[in-house]
Amino acid sequence: TNTHNFRCGDNNLSFPMLTALLLVTLLPCVWSQCDPLCPEVCAFPFPNDFWRTAGKLSFSPDTFPKDRSGQAIDIGGGGWTDLDGFSPLPSILTFLPDLTLNGFPRLWNINASLAEDSPTILLDTSTNKPVPHWAEIDHSSDNDQLKGYNRALMLWPAIRLKDSTRYIVGIRAATNTRGQLISPSYAFKALRDNVPTHDSAIESRRVHFNLSVFPQLATAGFPRSSLQIAWDFTTMSTHTLNNRFLSMREDAFARTVDGISFKIVQSRENVSSTIARHLTGLMRVPWYLTQLEPGVATRVNVAAGDANTAVFNGMHEVEFTVVIPPSVAASRAAAPVVQFGHGLFSDQSEVLDDFLTQEANKQGYVLIASTWAGLAKQDKIPAALMLATDLSDFPMIPDRCHQGVLNALLLMRLVTSSQFVHDSAVSFNGVPVIDPTRRFYYGNSLGGILGSVYMSVTRDVQRGVLDVPGTPFSLLIPRSDDFTALFVVLKTRYPDPASRPALIALLQLLWDRMEPSGWIQHLGPGGDEHAKQVLIHYGEGDSEVSWLGAHILGRSIGAGMFSSNIRIANETLFGFNFFNDSALVTQNMIQGFDYRVPAPPLINVPPAKATDTHEYTSREPRAQAETARLFSDGVVYNACGGPCIVH
């Protein structure tokens, strides 16, 4: 008997339900690789508990598309079957033929998703309350599909979902370009209207839909008869999302409780007018990857039979940078430490950029930096090779990022240790220049993204600034010029544009362990025992990290906004608490900057590179002033005095 996705323990079965069960027992056992609810794309609708069995994801080898050569993604080898649920910030995907978005909630009016007449619902079954979201149609393949293509319908939660929670998606009143209601698929109509079939993929779910999907949607105001498609999915557990890294952190902290050994390999004096001393060092850190160098075979070294627990794999040397400005060298007083997080496919040398050293000299900071292993300069070629040859090796990126974030945590512990503080390399005229009690974080771009993870897991830093960050990667990638070349590689290998969003959603499932989506629940109010305060800056016209990802991040950590905050596309700025422009705020905050460039596209493609504002905010004096005030006083103020407009 095919029991794939059958839910045990359902009682009070009606005659149609019993008939369906009898039919299922008479059908041959067939593994269901595609959900018939959406026959046009095998992996739709997604995410979907159709592919979750006995508490684990259970995709078929043919659920996701093969590349041009016929190569399938190795779902088991890639680690997807180790997951117990779906992303807490998923791209929710389905297909409705010739769909228009008339009446759908859009990114500029998210509040419409909570209205009684909304055509879409994302229902939290633990509370029976709808989750705010917006809808869009996929346009990411427009430039290589001039004749048009079957575009996925994408729903985006406006806020991070809860872990280990079942959600139901329902869609009604969707019309096509001729103004007609779109007919449901044969499979969904059979479930909705209680029509028995001979399809085990339909019949094995009938009881579940009748008891646990349709009634809850009806209670939420979505009657069964009105639905054109509905399905449910369960999010990953906190253990699956977090324990792999937390096991690394706890083991590494225990192994370094007596100190982290280091050596200074180069000291350069009076490098520039803003760098009095530039140190390059090596620290010896616990290692948890299967190999030292980047490569497609790199993975977190995990325990046998336990993919969520990392295992120590020796000690290795990791390079770090320290920058001491002249103002600190001359002050004869200890200065705060600011840890810098660099951008995508860069490295720690970015901390030497003029705008950073100038601000450090002005404010009196010692800058430190390490490299984000996984998305650093040395990872770019292996990442391109993986995309060009085998997506089964995608774990190489998030797995190496685990070590990269751990290295950053250990670096802060090293430079604020008594051993390092009293080292002659960080002393001038015998006076130590590092104050180990004042520790802050500043990162931009990838440094804002992985910095969100860093701020969620650090025990040593309470205040941080996340410049032009965002989440999730599945939202950011099609909207980012940074990924254009790599996206071309993916498009070349996978010619069907309708299924490409499913590939990105599949990769997101592994990324969740080491990107903000998997961690920011710890960064909001009451997130953990180590209270944090972060300030998010973003800019209109950013062609590398979309402001939409910054908004999701901000909402998810309970960030506030000043009442004059800029509004892109006349958006309602749903989900933020507003503060008067004169307020001094001691909670998480988010602030946007308007650079008077053309408005970004309201579809999932990048803004024009020619007017990219990605680097502007980090160099904006008023943003820098807000950063300095947060670090010195623990408050956020509006340095713009109103909307932040930069001419």
Side-chain angles (χ1 to χ4, degrees):
T1 301
N2 179 9
T3 58
H4 182 54
N5 285 294
F6 174 68
R7 314 300 178 95
C8 298
D10 292 320
N11 300 314
N12 302 317
L13 302 183
S14 66
F15 180 75
M17 296 179 196
L18 290 169
T19 302
L21 287 176
L22 179 61
L23 283 169
V24 171
T25 63
L26 297 176
L27 293 170
C29 182
V30 179
W31 178 267
S32 300
Q33 64 188 36
C34 305
D35 186 343
L37 294 186
C38 185
E40 293 86 356
V41 181
C42 184
F44 288 3
F46 191 92
N48 188 347
D49 278 354
F50 179 78
W51 293 293
R52 184 172 181 267
T53 304
K56 295 287 186 180
L57 300 191
S58 54
F59 303 114
S60 144
D62 296 318
T63 299
F64 293 90
K66 295 181 173 67
D67 68 6
R68 288 182 183 273
S69 69
Q71 182 184 43
I73 298 171
D74 183 354
I75 297 296
W80 283 276
T81 53
D82 294 325
L83 306 177
D84 60 4
F86 294 93
S87 173
L89 269 175
S91 50
I92 300 171
L93 306 169
T94 191
F95 177 75
L96 295 170
D98 195 27
L99 174 68
T100 67
L101 292 179
N102 293 335
F104 278 59
R106 307 300 303 277
L107 61 89
W108 54 84
N109 67 337
I110 294 170
N111 52 300
S113 67
L114 304 180
E116 290 184 358
D117 61 349
S118 173
T120 58
I121 188 170
L122 175 58
L123 186 67
D124 178 344
T125 65
S126 70
T127 63
N128 289 321
K129 293 182 178 179
V131 177
H133 61 276
W134 81 86
E136 64 182 359
I137 293 176
D138 178 41
H139 285 269
S140 62
S141 294
D142 284 6
N143 61 352
D144 63 325
Q145 299 291 325
L146 301 181
K147 294 182 180 180
Y149 56 97
N150 290 338
R151 303 180 193 276
L153 169 63
M154 313 174 79
L155 303 183
W156 293 102
I159 191 169
R160 186 191 187 276
L161 304 182
K162 296 185 295 189
D163 298 343
S164 298
T165 302
R166 188 172 69 94
Y167 292 85
I168 303 175
V169 183
I171 300 174
R172 65 183 178 187
T175 58
N176 58 28
T177 56
R178 298 179 300 282
Q180 302 165 331
L181 285 175
I182 297 173
S183 299
S185 66
Y186 165 79
F188 184 74
K189 192 173 188 302
L191 288 174
R192 184 193 68 182
D193 299 343
N194 262 328
V195 177
T197 72
H198 295 280
D199 188 337
S200 63
I202 298 173
E203 299 306 325
S204 63
R205 307 159 79 189
R206 189 178 294 280
V207 171
H208 175 66
F209 268 67
N210 282 339
L211 293 181
S212 302
V213 176
F214 292 134
Q216 286 191 262
L217 286 176
T219 300
F222 275 63
R224 179 175 186 148
S225 61
S226 69
L227 294 167
Q228 290 155 302
I229 191 168
W231 72 96
D232 61 346
F233 66 91
T234 303
T235 53
M236 271 184 263
S237 67
T238 304
H239 182 79
T240 294
L241 286 165
N242 295 165
N243 196 69
R244 181 181 284 191
F245 180 78
L246 292 180
S247 64
M248 291 172 60
R249 185 190 69 178
E250 297 310 299
D251 186 74
F253 283 5
R255 291 178 185 276
T256 58
V257 68
D258 295 325
I260 300 169
S261 64
F262 72 96
K263 58 186 176 183
I264 302 299
V265 297
Q266 185 179 43
S267 177
R268 300 172 61 213
E269 304 290 321
N270 301 316
V271 176
S272 70
S273 62
T274 58
I275 302 177
R277 185 175 293 166
H278 169 206
L279 302 174
T280 302
L282 293 173
M283 60 177 178
R284 194 163 177 81
V285 302
W287 201 255
Y288 298 88
L289 300 178
T290 54
Q291 61 187 51
L292 184 59
E293 299 301 323
V296 295
T298 303
R299 300 291 187 272
V300 170
N301 192 44
V302 297
D306 182 4
N308 295 318
T309 300
V311 175
F312 174 69
N313 197 24
M315 301 290 289
H316 290 288
E317 290 184 332
V318 171
E319 189 175 86
F320 65 90
T321 298
V322 178
V323 176
I324 303 171
S327 64
V328 171
S331 70
R332 301 187 67 82
V337 176
V338 175
Q339 184 159 18
F340 172 69
H342 66 76
L344 180 69
F345 294 134
S346 182
D347 60 29
Q348 63 191 290
S349 67
E350 195 178 308
V351 75
L352 301 172
D353 283 3
D354 287 346
F355 82 92
L356 286 167
T357 60
Q358 289 167 5
E359 189 65 11
N361 190 45
K362 177 181 177 181
Q363 302 296 341
Y365 303 143
V366 174
L367 297 175
I368 65 172
S370 56
T371 294
W372 296 126
L375 288 169
K377 183 182 297 183
Q378 61 265 43
D379 293 290
K380 189 169 186 178
I381 292 176
L385 178 64
M386 174 270 297
L387 290 174
T389 57
D390 193 352
L391 290 182
S392 309
D393 289 320
F394 179 77
M396 60 173 279
I397 293 178
D399 282 21
R400 271 183 53 81
C401 285
H402 279 66
Q403 187 71 48
V405 172
L406 178 65
N407 294 345
L409 295 181
L410 293 170
L411 176 59
M412 179 58 82
R413 292 207 152 190
L414 167 65
V415 300
T416 56
S417 67
S418 178
Q419 178 189 15
F420 193 91
V421 167
H422 293 95
D423 191 276
S424 60
V426 289
S427 298
F428 284 82
N429 299 316
V431 178
V433 299
I434 289 177
D435 180 350
T437 67
R438 291 187 287 168
R439 307 176 295 264
F440 308 110
Y441 177 84
Y442 174 82
N444 56 39
S445 192
L446 179 67
I449 295 170
L450 287 183
S452 302
V453 179
Y454 174 95
M455 287 301 298
S456 299
V457 299
T458 178
R459 291 178 175 170
D460 303 307
V461 178
Q462 275 69 54
R463 302 176 198 162
V465 173
L466 309 174
D467 187 61
V468 292
T471 189
F473 273 116
S474 55
L475 173 79
L476 302 178
I477 286 175
R479 290 177 157 87
S480 176
D481 186 73
D482 277 348
F483 288 94
T484 298
L486 295 178
F487 203 24
V488 168
V489 175
L490 197 66
K491 290 177 178 179
T492 301
R493 287 190 62 206
Y494 295 92
D496 177 21
S499 60
R500 288 173 190 156
L503 289 173
I504 297 175
L506 180 70
L507 303 184
Q508 180 66 43
L509 293 174
L510 299 182
W511 233 331
D512 286 318
R513 282 193 177 116
M514 193 41 63
E515 75 118 274
S517 58
W519 291 96
I520 50 179
Q521 72 274 26
H522 305 299
L523 196 51
D528 65 15
E529 71 276 18
H530 304 279
K532 311 291 173 55
Q533 184 183 9
V534 299
L535 170 61
I536 298 169
H537 285 145
Y538 68 94
E540 181 172 11
D542 190 330
S543 71
E544 298 178 46
V545 182
S546 172
W547 94 99
L548 293 169
H551 277 195
I552 291 177
L553 174 58
R555 288 189 205 96
S556 298
I557 65 172
M561 271 185 178
F562 291 111
S563 56
S564 63
N565 197 82
I566 66 168
R567 296 174 185 265
I568 300 174
N570 200 32
E571 59 189 329
T572 60
L573 296 177
F574 174 86
F576 295 102
N577 293 321
F578 290 94
F579 291 84
N580 187 281
D581 285 329
S582 62
L584 299 179
V585 186
T586 57
Q587 67 159 65
N588 295 337
M589 291 289 284
I590 180 171
Q591 188 171 34
F593 287 76
D594 180 352
Y595 295 101
R596 289 300 194 245
V597 298
L602 301 182
I603 56 177
N604 62 334
V605 298
K609 184 65 175 176
T611 55
D612 179 24
T613 65
H614 187 64
E615 300 288 342
Y616 290 10
T617 307
S618 58
R619 292 162 172 79
E620 164 56 37
R622 290 171 293 183
Q624 292 172 337
E626 292 178 359
T627 296
R629 186 71 181 275
L630 173 65
F631 290 169
S632 64
D633 300 337
V635 299
V636 179
Y637 81 111
N638 185 359
C640 302
C644 290
I645 299 174
V646 184
H647 295 280

